[in-house]
Structures are given as structure tokens and as C-alpha cells.
């Protein structure tokens, strides 16, 4: 009975320890780490005592290991010539990151699990594209990521930079509406960002009212002018013919 209570107590203590990242070299919480494709990333341990051996794993596969009997760290495929292990701290640097490097990692220092990581490998952000539509009252500007970009879309956040208070109220929204009566000479900017970088694109609001819409007003005005002119000509001819017929009847009399 006492053994059962002791076991539950030990499990409870371990559960609490798992919530702390650096308690007696135990970390049950995986830390998110972000790296960019073709760049490098370093996974930092919490080691603070002399290290006798180091083992880094990706899931259950070995990445690199070292102990006091080895002259230098031994890396395993596909990490050969792509990693650097600091044997003093246990920190691991991975070079020339690829999407296949994305996975869960953990390190053992002196045969004790130290820290767990979840590595996310992200493609460099592209420039967003802006397009807009307008109504009689509003101009709606939309910020879009190119369709061929699909690297961790869920990590991307949106922000806007413009003169309007409506921009400030559009927190993490991919579109914003501006009153049509606003100063259309102003520029509006969309910023996309992820944990590693940001990109921005901008446009002038006046470009949201396309030339063809202005041309359409000219065309409508021209059509109206032609219609009015035709009516004037028709009325003139009708009155002229009417007057001519009355003169003919007068002359006949």
C-alpha cells in the first residue's frame, strides 16, 4: 500500500518537474525553435556541470554523439559535415537547413535527458501582393501571400501601416477597409511576419480607382451628349417640317 502511494507521489513530482525546463537536467516540455532553409540554427542546452558524454537525437535517430574516449564528435547521416557540436556546453549547430530537418530533437548530457526541442524549418518570406476593390463608400485593400508559398502559413501574422485609424484596428487581418472620402494620395502598407523575418508591400490608394472607371464616366457623358444632340436635331427637324407644311398650306390658300 505504501509502495503504491510512493509511486503515485513520485509520478506527481516528476509531472511537476516536467513543467520546468531546467530542473536537474530534466525537460519534458519541448521548446519551439525556428530556422530558415539553407541557413543555420543552434540548439542550446541547459548544461551547467562537467559533461562526460553527449548524445543528440532526431526522434530516435542519432544525429551526433561524443564521449571522453572519442577524439572528436561522430555525426550520422544526413548530418555528416552539417553539424557542429560544442563538447563543453553540448550546444548543437545545424548548417544548410532543409525541410527534412524539421522534427523533434533531444539531447542527453552525461546520460541524462537535458532538453527537448521541436525544430521548424521555414522558407524565406516572399513579398506580399496587394489588390483592392471599391464601392461608393469604401476602398477594401487585401494583402495576399503568393499561392506558391506554403511554408508554415499558420505562423504568418499581418499588420498594416497607414494614416487611417482603421489600419490600427485591423489586428492580424489580411484586409482593411478605408473610407472612400479619405486622402487617396496616401500610401498603405501591409507587413507580413513570422518568428524569423518580415516583408512588406505598399500601394497608393488612388490606384484603387482604376483608369477605366474614370474613362467610363467620360464615355457616359459622351453618350448623353450624343443622345441630347440627337433629340435636339429631331425636335429641330420636326418643328422645321411642321413650319414648312404650314407655309405650304398658306401659300396654297
Amino acid at each position: 500500500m505504501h509502495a503504491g502511494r510512493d509511486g503515485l507521489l513520485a509520478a506527481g513530482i516528476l509531472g511537476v518537474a516536467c513543467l520546468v525546463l531546467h530542473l536537474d537536467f530534466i525537460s519534458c516540455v519541448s521548446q519551439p525553435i525556428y530556422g530558415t532553409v539553407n541557413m543555420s540554427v543552434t540548439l542550446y542546452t541547459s548544461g551547467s556541470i562537467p559533461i562526460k558524454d553527449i548524445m543528440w537525437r532526431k526522434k530516435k535517430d542519432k544525429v551526433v554523439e561524443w564521449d571522453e574516449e572519442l577524439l572528436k564528435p561522430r555525426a550520422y547521416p544526413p548530418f555528416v559535415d552539417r553539424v557542429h557540436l560544442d563538447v563543453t556546453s553540448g550546444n548543437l549547430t545545424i548548417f544548410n537547413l532543409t525541410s527534412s530537418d524539421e522534427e523533434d530533437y533531444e539531447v542527453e548530457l552525461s546520460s541524462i535527458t537535458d532538453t527537448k526541442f521541436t525544430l521548424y524549418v521555414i522558407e524565406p518570406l516572399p513579398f506580399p501582393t496587394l489588390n483592392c476593390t471599391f464601392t461608393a463608400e469604401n476602398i477594401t485593400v487585401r494583402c495576399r501571400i503568393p499561392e506558391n508559398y506554403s511554408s508554415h502559413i499558420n505562423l504568418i501574422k499581418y499588420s498594416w501601416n497607414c494614416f487611417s485609424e482603421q489600419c490600427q484596428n485591423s489586428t492580424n487581418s489580411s484586409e482593411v477597409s478605408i473610407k472612400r472620402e479619405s486622402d487617396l494620395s496616401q500610401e498603405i502598407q501591409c507587413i507580413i511576419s513570422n518568428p524569423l523575418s518580415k516583408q512588406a508591400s505598399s500601394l497608393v490608394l488612388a490606384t484603387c480607382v482604376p483608369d477605366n472607371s474614370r474613362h467610363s464616366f467620360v464615355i457616359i457623358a459622351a453618350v448623353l451628349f450624343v443622345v441630347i444632340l440627337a433629340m435636339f436635331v429631331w425636335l429641330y427637324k420636326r418643328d422645321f417640317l411642321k413650319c414648312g407644311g404650314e407655309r405650304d398650306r398658306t401659300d396654297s390658300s
Side-chain angles (χ1 to χ4, degrees):
M1 187 69 175
H2 291 290
R5 284 201 303 268
D6 291 342
L8 291 174
L9 179 60
I13 293 173
L14 180 58
V16 173
C18 286
L19 297 177
V20 184
L21 288 179
H22 305 306
L23 181 61
D24 293 332
F25 293 94
I26 294 176
S27 173
C28 295
V29 179
S30 182
Q31 301 182 42
I33 300 293
Y34 303 95
T36 304
V37 171
N38 296 326
M39 304 298 286
S40 64
V41 67
T42 299
L43 309 181
Y44 292 94
T45 72
S46 59
S48 58
I49 64 173
I51 299 172
K52 296 181 179 180
D53 58 77
I54 305 170
M55 173 67 75
W56 276 95
R57 288 186 174 90
K58 174 187 174 186
K59 279 290 189 181
K60 295 183 179 181
D61 298 328
K62 292 182 179 180
V63 175
V64 63
E65 66 177 331
W66 172 85
D67 61 39
E68 293 177 322
E69 296 181 0
L70 292 175
L71 295 177
K72 62 179 182 178
R74 178 187 299 159
Y76 296 87
F79 295 98
V80 176
D81 297 328
R82 283 209 302 130
V83 293
H84 170 72
L85 178 63
D86 186 330
V87 298
T88 302
S89 64
N91 297 340
L92 174 68
T93 301
I94 307 174
F95 302 95
N96 299 323
L97 285 169
T98 67
S99 57
S100 62
D101 294 329
E102 185 170 296
E103 193 50 88
D104 294 329
Y105 291 77
E106 71 175 27
V107 58
E108 291 181 3
L109 303 178
S110 300
S111 301
I112 300 175
T113 300
D114 176 64
T115 311
K116 297 181 179 180
F117 303 88
T118 299
L119 175 61
Y120 300 93
V121 181
I122 305 173
E123 293 278 353
L125 274 176
F127 286 98
T129 57
L130 297 181
N131 60 69
C132 50
T133 57
F134 68 95
T135 64
E137 297 181 352
N138 295 316
I139 295 175
T140 300
V141 183
R142 297 177 179 83
C143 187
R144 294 289 182 262
I145 299 167
E147 293 182 359
N148 61 351
Y149 185 86
S150 59
S151 180
H152 293 287
I153 300 297
N154 60 305
L155 294 176
I156 295 178
K157 297 185 180 300
Y158 295 83
S159 60
W160 294 88
N161 182 20
C162 76
F163 62 94
S164 173
E165 184 179 344
Q166 292 158 296
C167 284
Q168 301 171 5
N169 296 332
S170 299
T171 305
N172 199 26
S173 173
S174 61
E175 64 180 53
V176 64
S177 292
I178 306 294
K179 292 294 184 182
R180 182 90 179 262
E181 62 193 26
S182 302
D183 182 2
L184 299 186
S185 66
Q186 296 286 339
E187 189 175 79
I188 184 170
Q189 184 181 59
C190 172
I191 303 102
I192 60 172
S193 61
N194 61 28
L196 292 175
S197 63
K198 62 175 62 178
Q199 293 286 12
S201 295
S202 59
L203 60 74
V204 177
L205 287 174
T207 61
C208 294
V209 182
D211 290 339
N212 57 7
S213 68
R214 291 191 282 266
H215 291 163
S216 64
F217 292 117
V218 176
I219 294 172
I220 292 172
V223 170
L224 288 174
F225 175 77
V226 171
V227 170
I228 294 172
L229 180 62
M231 290 181 63
F232 176 79
V233 171
W234 178 77
L235 290 172
Y236 175 79
K237 287 184 176 180
R238 188 191 66 174
D239 292 341
F240 177 80
L241 292 175
K242 183 178 179 180
C243 292
E246 289 178 354
R247 281 199 304 270
D248 290 342
R249 285 196 295 272
T250 302
D251 294 340
S252 298
S253 300

